[in-house]
Amino acid sequence: MRLWEMEINIHATNGVFHQTVKHQSEDSQKPWMKKAILGRKLFALGVVTLVAVRIASVVAGFIIVAALGWMSY
């Protein structure tokens, strides 16, 4: 009996139609926020790279001085 009622509802001319509603996330309302976060990440990456290069140059300087000292001894 229930299947018969459902079939009648499916084929009815004034059937109920449900429309999908697209919900916007909070991020889509603030596109500048993604750009700001990306900018901060790139800036932090640049700072970390700069610090790593400075440390590597100091270590290389110590190695060169030690090698020259050993060779001159």
Side-chain angles (χ1 to χ4, degrees):
M1 185 69 165
R2 179 70 182 135
L3 291 175
W4 180 71
E5 290 174 358
M6 288 175 60
E7 187 175 339
I8 290 174
N9 287 338
I10 289 173
H11 296 295
T13 58
N14 58 355
V16 179
F17 291 101
H18 298 283
Q19 186 173 1
T20 304
V21 177
K22 184 177 181 181
H23 297 285
Q24 292 183 348
S25 64
E26 294 179 16
D27 293 338
S28 66
Q29 296 173 357
K30 301 176 185 176
W32 57 270
M33 185 63 90
K34 286 185 179 179
K35 291 181 182 178
I37 291 172
L38 179 62
R40 288 181 183 178
K41 286 180 181 178
L42 290 175
F43 179 75
L45 181 64
V47 169
V48 167
T49 303
L50 184 65
V51 169
V53 168
R54 296 279 299 204
I55 291 173
S57 68
V58 169
V59 170
F62 285 143
I63 292 173
I64 290 173
V65 167
L68 288 175
W70 180 75
M71 290 172 74
S72 65
Y73 176 72

